Amino acid sequence: MNFFLTIIVDGLIQASWLFIVALGLTLVFGVLKILNIAHGSFYAIGAYVAATVVTLVAAHRLPPSVGFVAMLFAVALIAAAVGLLLERGLLKMFYGRDEVVLLLVTYAVFLILEDVTKLIWGVNPIYATQPYELFGNLEFAGLYYVGYDLVLIPISAAIGFAIWFGLNRTIMGKIVLAVIHNEEMSVSMGVRVNRVYAFAFAFGVLLAALAGALTAPKISMQPGLSSDVIILSFAIVVIGGLGSVEGAAVGAILVGLARAASVHLMPQAELFMIYLIMAGVLLFRPEGLFKRETARRI
Amino acid sequence: MNKGMHPLVMIGLVGAVTLFGRLLPTWTLSLATIAAANALISLGIVVLARTGNISFGQGLFYAAGGYGVALIANGWGLTDAVAQVIIGAVCGGVLGLVIGPLIARYSGIFFGMLTLALSMVFYGALVKSTALGGSDGFNVGRPTLFGIGFSDPREADFMLYAVSVITTGLAGIAATILFRSEFGLASLAVRENNLRVEYLGLSANRIISLNFVIAAIFAGASGAFALMAQRHIDPQFAYWTTSGEFVFVAVLAGNQSVAAVFVASMALELVRSFSNLYLPNTWQLVLGVFLLGVILFLPRGIGSLWVRDRRRKSTPATASEGTTKKEVVL
Amino acid sequence: MKPVLSVRGLDKRFGAVVAADALTLDIPVGQKVSLIGANGAGKTTFVNMVTGYLAPDKGSIALDGLDIGGRSPRNVAKLGISRSFQIPQLFIELTAAENLTVAISGAGTRALSFQSPAGAQERHDKAVELLRRFGLADLADRPISELAGGVRKLIDISMALVRRPKLLLLDEPTSGVSAEEKFATMDRVIHAVAPDASTVVFVEHDMEIVNRYADRVVAFYQGRILADGEPAHVLKDKEVRRYVTGGTQ
């Protein structure tokens, strides 16, 4: 019994940060219709920036809580800047072209950012463990967990709720939803789609980078991080349905549980499991679990 | 669709390039071998892309070919280079035959994602299988040719160069004939409007599947070359970034000219070796910038530089009018 | 006379919208039938169901006595029903001749060849011959993307002729053609179609065209057949005037 509980708690911990990454990916797809291969790179950048800030704070003998808050602020600033710059400076040039072309453009961005992170932070593993001890260790159902890990779950749920609320209960959110569902219509209603695009893309980058920052204390940052993360978040959004917030949540929990289960039951089989789920979903419900297929008008 | 060269002239050209290898210094020789092997798998991506579908998971067939050849080489001692290429092609082709019909009904990014997912399933399985060396992979011996072993590395390199250039060259000639054929035109039609293709009584799925199998055969054979050149295999063959590089070559080349695939592949290898030498950790950066430049300024690839393009849209305003047009990527 | 197409009790709903409501219709050999009705009356849905693009919720469709319900557009095409589209469905990066070449290849009895050049002489000649019938031979080597909407429409129709269909369905052949040109266009279509297809069903909005070219008119309203008969008769029908033609014609 305890064994399954362990898997479930571990799975939820995994799901919490995966959900934040996938949320960014699915929002960007929903609004801009871009499947962003570079999304994992933004996660990596968030993690690296967080590590730099945390190390800097520690070097000044400030407490880890300062490091934690500082890294979130720094990452938010940098992510917003990178997101706006990329959308306005680059992606804008390719709007209106085939979605596969945009896929290739983001692949190019992925390649570039891959080396940029190497040039800035080197190729050796970097750590930023100080904030990890921030919340101590907590006992839960007879097992000890790192408090930081457990705290991620409510943080992620809060972010999810905030986005759901923002989309469904605020004017800005309704405009974004209008663009998602019917862009032509919203243009004719006077929505400035360009702004929505820029905002949505920057916000997507922000979510990826935030997830990177939040996980930075748990992991070692090294090359290959971004390609692993994008692979996981692709699986999540495809399972849940591209562009669906609920789908991202369900997908993240499924993938989180699959990861945790394979770690405990069949070590090293996690990617295999996750992609098997993804391929299965694609084969039987190509639009994902949360979307309906639409017929083509002729 | 250019009338172009006669196949016999092309065969002569392949022969000339093969003999030219005698004059090349060793480092260029192995570079050209890898470029030819990569051109083969990228050519497959171009073949498939003519139906409007881009595979981000050719690493699956590349790895299948590589592992298939490696296992047979170590298990039965089959080291003949030509036999290995055939085995690789068969492994890729059989797998393509199984997968092609399953995924032919998907298009656009779903096709790309599904191929990527399948290659990652394979990657995951390879990492997990300790019998195949897990994530470290395993080694194989030097290939032979028609019962001759090559102890002189220079001769061994040339043999590999010759086999890969001839194989890729023949594949290129076959692709040229294919592109001009009835089937080749129907493939383009699928890219433009698969619905109309169905209404004409043709099966779009069948056309996509067949192109998929061809691409898988090329990828499997390419995997065999990669194995022979490195004499080592590991799950990285199936990882998505490996597939991504081949997509890069295909996009750079475009679908106007088969020769462009070879040029693009050679360019990639040159960039890779030069930046490894002089500017470590920048070659992906260069690649990315290159890719953006090509998409922006040469949307039909470098092949459009020398193939006269009579299909250039002179009136984009009417081009988009009321049709479900798919943009030509390659 | 034995009907080419025989449709019994077709139902189709999209949510709350009734697109077909117990449609029953026979089309005999050699007839030119016009389908009329306001937008959303179910004309295109009818064409889509007959050609296998949409599956009816209920009812049967038979071609020459053979049940073709549940077959794909590809199989329906092979059995002898061809169609053109309201929005031309062409291969727009290919030339006009190449578009027809694909159609000709598709109509062949053997599998597509991997080595025989697509533009082989006999195929090319046949493509140009078809284009010539529509007065488009000089545009054979122009990509569709360079051609105007009206021309695309004609090429779309010419592609439907390649299989010499038992039944040809034309979805609004003159939409998008200016008022001055519409008769000339329709004349061209009717003459070009004649050698390959004797039974033609065309969806049409223009009552003058209907009056001049149809042997029979079927008026649709909310998925039902409101009136069916000779043009002179149907176009004068009180309900038709009220719900379909709006009494303005």
Side-chain angles (χ1 to χ4, degrees):
Chain A
M1 193 59 221
N2 246 345
F3 185 60
F4 286 106
L5 200 64
T6 314
I7 290 178
I8 290 172
V9 176
D10 280 356
L12 287 179
I13 293 169
Q14 293 286 338
S16 60
W17 69 268
L18 285 170
F19 172 60
I20 304 174
V21 184
L23 203 52
L25 190 61
T26 213
L27 276 180
V28 167
F29 182 83
V31 177
L32 292 91
K33 303 288 175 285
I34 295 175
L35 189 55
N36 185 6
I37 295 184
H39 198 68
S41 314
F42 302 133
Y43 168 90
I45 289 174
Y48 273 115
V49 169
T52 305
V53 172
V54 165
T55 314
L56 214 63
V57 168
H60 286 80
R61 303 199 177 284
L62 291 165
S65 53
V66 175
F68 182 70
V69 174
M71 79 178 187
L72 292 183
F73 270 102
V75 164
L77 267 178
I78 288 178
V82 169
L84 287 176
L85 201 72
L86 268 178
E87 198 278 337
R88 287 292 88 184
L90 183 74
L91 293 181
K92 201 177 68 174
M93 291 190 258
F94 301 94
Y95 289 159
R97 293 181 64 174
D98 193 88
E99 57 187 9
V100 174
V101 172
L102 280 149
L103 193 72
L104 292 169
V105 169
T106 63
Y107 175 59
V109 173
F110 160 81
L111 289 173
I112 293 169
L113 291 179
E114 198 69 357
D115 275 354
V116 167
T117 47
K118 276 186 208 155
L119 290 173
I120 298 178
W121 287 283
V123 291
N124 297 319
I126 292 180
Y127 301 91
T129 49
Q130 289 85 348
Y132 200 44
E133 284 116 47
L134 212 49
F135 303 97
N137 293 325
L138 299 173
E139 193 194 336
F140 181 74
L143 282 169
Y144 280 94
Y145 289 93
V146 179
Y148 190 93
D149 284 345
L150 291 182
V151 168
L152 283 184
I153 298 174
I155 290 182
S156 159
I159 290 176
F161 177 77
I163 285 175
W164 177 86
F165 187 87
L167 277 178
N168 292 290
R169 295 284 184 276
T170 66
I171 294 189
M172 186 62 203
K174 295 214 162 139
I175 292 174
V176 172
L177 282 184
V179 174
I180 291 178
H181 293 309
N182 192 338
E183 189 184 312
E184 266 175 58
M185 186 68 91
S186 34
V187 172
S188 64
M189 307 264 286
V191 172
R192 285 190 232 179
V193 177
N194 276 341
R195 286 190 181 188
V196 176
Y197 277 6
F199 172 77
F201 189 78
F203 198 69
V205 173
L206 178 74
L207 285 172
L210 208 57
L214 285 170
T215 39
K218 292 156 52 79
I219 57 171
S220 67
M221 274 65 79
Q222 55 196 331
L225 188 59
S226 45
S227 54
D228 289 342
V229 168
I230 188 60
I231 279 304
L232 288 174
S233 37
F234 268 168
I236 292 169
V237 297
V238 167
I239 288 170
L242 285 165
S244 157
V245 172
E246 301 92 320
V250 172
I253 290 171
L254 270 177
V255 168
L257 288 176
R259 280 195 103 186
S262 53
V263 165
H264 287 282
L265 302 170
M266 296 171 73
Q268 287 194 321
E270 52 162 292
L271 260 184
F272 178 69
M273 296 273 290
I274 292 164
Y275 268 82
L276 211 57
I277 298 176
M278 171 175 164
V281 168
L282 270 175
L283 284 175
F284 296 107
R285 274 195 71 100
E287 304 281 319
L289 296 175
F290 276 80
K291 279 179 96 183
R292 259 174 272 120
E293 253 180 289
T294 45
R296 168 165 156 195
R297 207 185 109 80
I298 54 173
Chain B
M1 304 297 292
N2 54 328
K3 288 278 178 280
M5 263 181 260
H6 191 275
L8 284 178
V9 179
M10 291 190 266
I11 290 175
L13 207 63
V14 172
V17 172
T18 309
L19 291 177
F20 182 65
R22 275 286 170 209
L23 307 174
L24 289 174
T26 311
W27 71 274
T28 335
L29 202 61
S30 49
L31 196 126
T33 307
I34 295 171
N38 288 355
L40 185 55
I41 185 169
S42 304
L43 183 62
I45 296 177
V46 171
V47 167
L48 184 57
R50 286 167 56 92
T51 65
N53 294 300
I54 294 202
S55 167
F56 263 87
Q58 286 309 91
L60 171 61
F61 307 105
Y62 188 63
Y67 272 94
V69 170
L71 288 175
I72 288 175
N74 283 356
W76 302 341
L78 184 67
T79 54
D80 187 82
V82 173
Q84 291 195 335
V85 173
I86 293 170
I87 291 168
V90 169
C91 289
V94 169
L95 199 58
L97 211 53
V98 175
I99 293 174
L102 275 177
I103 67 166
R105 61 200 163 107
Y106 300 94
S107 62
I109 50 175
F110 286 101
F111 188 92
M113 287 301 95
L114 195 55
T115 48
L116 186 147
L118 291 172
S119 75
M120 291 306 289
V121 170
F122 195 52
Y123 172 81
L126 290 172
V127 168
K128 169 80 185 135
S129 45
T130 40
L132 299 177
S135 52
D136 294 332
F138 59 93
N139 292 329
V140 291
R142 262 185 203 289
T144 57
L145 186 66
F146 308 136
I148 309 162
F150 296 87
S151 47
D152 177 6
R154 162 87 203 161
E155 287 302 309
D157 282 351
F158 178 72
M159 183 274 281
L160 206 53
Y161 167 84
V163 176
S164 64
V165 166
I166 290 172
T167 308
T168 309
L170 291 178
I173 293 169
T176 311
I177 295 169
L178 184 78
F179 289 173
R180 293 173 190 162
S181 76
E182 238 186 327
F183 181 80
L185 186 64
S187 303
L188 285 181
V190 169
R191 177 189 73 194
E192 300 283 314
N193 194 334
N194 58 354
L195 180 75
R196 186 59 187 243
V197 168
E198 291 280 328
Y199 263 108
L200 292 175
L202 286 164
S203 166
N205 283 0
R206 198 181 141 81
I207 292 171
I208 293 170
S209 299
L210 283 169
N211 279 299
F212 192 85
V213 172
I214 294 169
I217 289 172
F218 286 5
S222 176
F225 283 122
L227 176 80
M228 286 188 263
Q230 300 171 11
R231 298 199 296 283
H232 174 81
I233 191 157
D234 61 52
Q236 200 62 30
F237 271 57
Y239 199 65
W240 74 272
T241 49
T242 307
S243 308
E245 264 176 42
F246 303 132
V247 171
F248 170 86
V249 173
V251 173
L252 184 59
N255 74 3
Q256 307 278 305
S257 145
V258 169
V261 181
F262 297 84
V263 174
S265 181
M266 197 67 202
L268 174 78
E269 286 313 309
L270 283 174
V271 168
R272 194 206 305 267
S273 57
F274 276 108
S275 52
N276 273 347
L277 218 53
Y278 300 110
L279 297 160
N281 295 331
T282 54
W283 81 271
Q284 293 191 95
L285 195 144
V286 176
L287 237 58
V289 172
F290 232 95
L291 185 56
L292 285 179
V294 168
I295 297 171
L296 207 52
F297 302 113
L298 279 176
R300 282 151 183 279
I302 53 172
S304 61
L305 288 176
W306 62 83
V307 174
R308 190 179 54 92
D309 183 12
R310 70 197 156 75
R311 297 213 182 88
R312 195 178 44 245
K313 287 193 301 264
S314 54
T315 47
T318 57
S320 59
E321 179 199 319
T323 44
T324 50
K325 168 183 175 293
K326 254 191 176 174
E327 183 172 2
V328 189
V329 188
L330 296 179
Chain C
M1 193 194 282
K2 206 163 166 268
V4 178
L5 182 76
S6 182
V7 165
R8 292 285 171 277
L10 281 194
D11 280 358
K12 183 74 188 176
R13 282 166 186 277
F14 300 104
V17 179
V18 181
D21 185 0
L23 286 182
T24 293
L25 192 64
D26 277 338
I27 296 185
V29 178
Q31 211 166 43
K32 306 272 179 294
V33 182
S34 175
L35 309 184
I36 62 171
N39 284 328
K43 305 174 307 277
T44 296
T45 301
F46 175 77
V47 172
N48 284 344
M49 287 193 293
V50 168
T51 55
Y53 184 68
L54 287 177
D57 299 336
K58 229 166 69 188
S60 70
I61 305 168
L63 175 71
D64 266 348
L66 175 73
D67 181 17
I68 57 165
R71 292 187 196 242
S72 65
R74 171 159 48 97
N75 287 323
V76 172
K78 282 182 181 168
L79 288 171
I81 301 183
S82 289
R83 73 173 288 186
S84 74
F85 297 81
Q86 193 177 343
I87 302 163
Q89 299 290 325
L90 300 173
F91 313 122
I92 80 165
E93 295 284 315
L94 306 187
T95 64
E98 282 170 338
N99 268 266
L100 277 155
T101 305
V102 176
I104 293 163
S105 296
T109 46
R110 48 173 190 76
L112 293 176
S113 165
F114 290 105
Q115 41 91 25
S116 155
Q121 202 60 48
E122 54 172 325
R123 272 190 288 272
H124 186 76
D125 290 349
K126 194 169 171 196
V128 173
E129 198 278 316
L130 262 165
L131 287 170
R132 182 168 295 120
R133 259 199 249 160
F134 285 86
L136 304 172
D138 53 326
L139 299 176
D141 293 325
R142 299 279 290 278
I144 301 297
S145 56
E146 290 177 7
L147 303 177
V151 176
R152 292 186 193 193
K153 205 114 203 184
L154 293 178
I155 295 172
D156 191 72
I157 294 169
S158 72
M159 284 171 80
L161 290 179
V162 170
R163 281 185 171 270
R164 315 196 58 160
K166 292 176 186 166
L167 173 67
L168 176 67
L169 300 160
L170 304 177
D171 198 351
E172 303 202 14
T174 63
S175 74
V177 176
S178 67
E180 309 87 72
E181 290 174 63
K182 68 184 181 194
F183 288 116
T185 304
M186 197 63 190
D187 261 344
R188 223 189 226 187
V189 169
I190 292 291
H191 283 113
V193 157
D196 288 321
S198 62
T199 315
V200 183
V201 172
F202 58 100
V203 175
E204 189 52 71
H205 275 299
D206 190 304
M207 293 311 140
E208 290 177 79
I209 297 263
V210 170
N211 214 355
R212 189 185 300 193
Y213 295 99
D215 305 326
R216 171 181 166 197
V217 178
V218 179
F220 281 69
Y221 178 68
Q222 292 186 349
R224 284 183 298 115
I225 293 176
L226 203 59
D228 181 348
E230 285 184 9
H233 179 72
V234 172
L235 295 180
K236 276 191 201 109
D237 185 281
K238 211 196 290 168
E239 280 196 308
V240 171
R241 291 179 71 101
R242 181 157 164 217
Y243 293 117
V244 180
T245 56
T248 54
Q249 306 279 335

